[in-house]
Amino acid sequence: PNPVQNQLLVAIPNQNARDVSIEILNFNGQIIEQITDFNIQSKTYEFNLETLAAGLYFIKIKDGNRITKRRIVKN
């Protein structure tokens, strides 16, 4: 759900996902958390956002040559 409280679940729908990386960025574009060893088998990852202040963040998912960016609101 968006806005999020403390947990953010990311699912990669691409059945042929390879070379996946996920980044959580702050409003200034600085990387807050980065996952490069994504579990391709389950295609999901759970971020603990409990220590982040409330505000606007972004998630950037790189799946091969495809990049997806989304806005995240943390309550």
Side-chain angles (χ1 to χ4, degrees), residues 17-36:
R18 295 175 196 195
D19 301 322
V20 175
S21 65
I22 304 171
E23 297 174 347
I24 303 290
L25 303 108
N26 66 14
F27 188 76
N28 296 321
Q30 297 169 315
I31 298 172
I32 302 297
E33 189 167 348
Q34 182 176 31
I35 303 299
T36 55

Side-chain angles (χ1 to χ4, degrees), residues 2-75:
N2 198 9
V4 298
Q5 294 291 326
N6 293 324
Q7 303 297 323
L8 174 66
L9 181 63
V10 177
I12 305 296
N14 185 354
Q15 296 299 320
N16 300 314
R18 295 175 196 195
D19 301 322
V20 175
S21 65
I22 304 171
E23 297 174 347
I24 303 290
L25 303 108
N26 66 14
F27 188 76
N28 296 321
Q30 297 169 315
I31 298 172
I32 302 297
E33 189 167 348
Q34 182 176 31
I35 303 299
T36 55
D37 58 347
F38 187 78
N39 184 346
I40 298 299
Q41 299 304 316
S42 69
K43 295 185 178 37
T44 61
Y45 189 83
E46 188 170 345
F47 285 92
N48 182 349
L49 304 180
E50 189 173 358
T51 60
L52 296 182
L56 181 63
Y57 296 88
F58 299 91
I59 185 166
K60 177 180 172 184
I61 302 168
K62 182 180 178 213
D63 176 5
N65 292 329
R66 191 172 101 178
I67 296 175
T68 303
K69 295 179 184 177
R70 297 283 186 260
R71 183 177 63 152
I72 300 169
V73 177
K74 163 97 169 43
N75 284 342

